[in-house]
Amino acid sequence: MSNIAIFETTTELGGCGLNINGNILEAFCSPSMQKHSQTLLPLFDNLLQSQNLSPKDLQAVAFGAGPGAFSGLRFSVATAQAFALALNIPAIPVSSALALVFWAIKYLLKNPENQDNLSQNFQIFSTLDARMNEIYIAKFEFENSEFKDFSAKNFLQNLVENFDNSWFAKNIQLIKISDFYDFVSQDDTENNAKKYKKYKKYKKYKKYIVGNAEKLLDATQKAKFAENSQIQFLPEIVPKPQEVGEIAAEYFSQNKNLQNAANALPIYIRNKVAETTAEREKNKTQK
């Protein structure tokens, strides 16, 4: 039995939650990062009171570790560190890319028409708007041989076992929107044909895109994606406490990725947070 606090503020839709023995409650801030610092803790306190709990009843605190908006990440991390330090409990960083992929898997499993695709090798591209005409993106690959059955529980165990902090450090990238189609559509056939050379014919990966990058595309880019039958955009979504809490509970049950307050750090891969005036003007003329 465990009670895990959840804080997720990597995007404008900041939120908090409680995972009470697998039952997750969520509450969301107004969609403005300036208000996260004003509303998040009162919302969380209301959640605790609704369950007749106090902070001392918590066994861990989970937080969305990004990548994402710098201000939101900073607040989420600071909040988690404060709880971990004050209560002497572990903090559990959960990548926003991982949260999106787990949402995508649950979404796909709900639709029977996707079962055939999930029984093949497939890829999920986790995306988030990074502003300044850029996208945070990570590619997750899944092979049908990794699963005894295609359930959300088995996928969650696979995510926790195979995609750790070191994986995210190497595989989350920052790319330009103009490079998005080329990044996703690159042909894996040649590499995988060598891996599966015993097969006479290799079926290309089905590719799913999850997150909020589709809204950034212009008409030309949308047309390119629409012409590629191997690629499918899933409904727009951003990281939420539900998936962060489910992943954190799996980490907690496996005694993995439990950090002390000092080591509870975000995933943040850009070193530039705003365009110059000249860059903004140049981008306007190019649109």
Side-chain angles (χ1 to χ4, degrees), residues 1 21 32 80 90-91 139-140 155 158 177 182 189 227 280 285:
M1 297 179 66
N21 303 320
S32 170
K139 179 176 73 174
F140 295 74
F155 272 109
N158 177 282
I177 294 173
D182 290 338
T189 304
E227 292 169 357
R280 290 195 296 270
T285 60

Side-chain angles (χ1 to χ4, degrees), residues 160-185:
V160 168
E161 290 170 0
N162 293 295
F163 303 103
D164 57 14
N165 287 352
S166 62
W167 186 93
F168 290 110
K170 296 176 183 177
N171 291 281
I172 292 181
Q173 300 182 49
L174 185 65
I175 66 170
K176 295 184 179 299
I177 294 173
S178 57
D179 296 330
F180 185 29
Y181 178 78
D182 290 338
F183 186 97
V184 174
S185 64

Side-chain angles (χ1 to χ4, degrees), residues 61-66 77 80 90-96 98 165 168 244 247-248 251 256-260 263-267:
V61 53
F63 66 96
V77 172
I92 308 175
V94 176
S95 166
S96 54
L98 193 67
N165 287 352
F168 290 110
V244 172
I247 295 168
Y251 277 132
K256 289 184 176 180
N257 201 30
L258 308 183
Q259 309 293 331
N260 60 35
N263 292 326
L265 301 174
I267 300 169

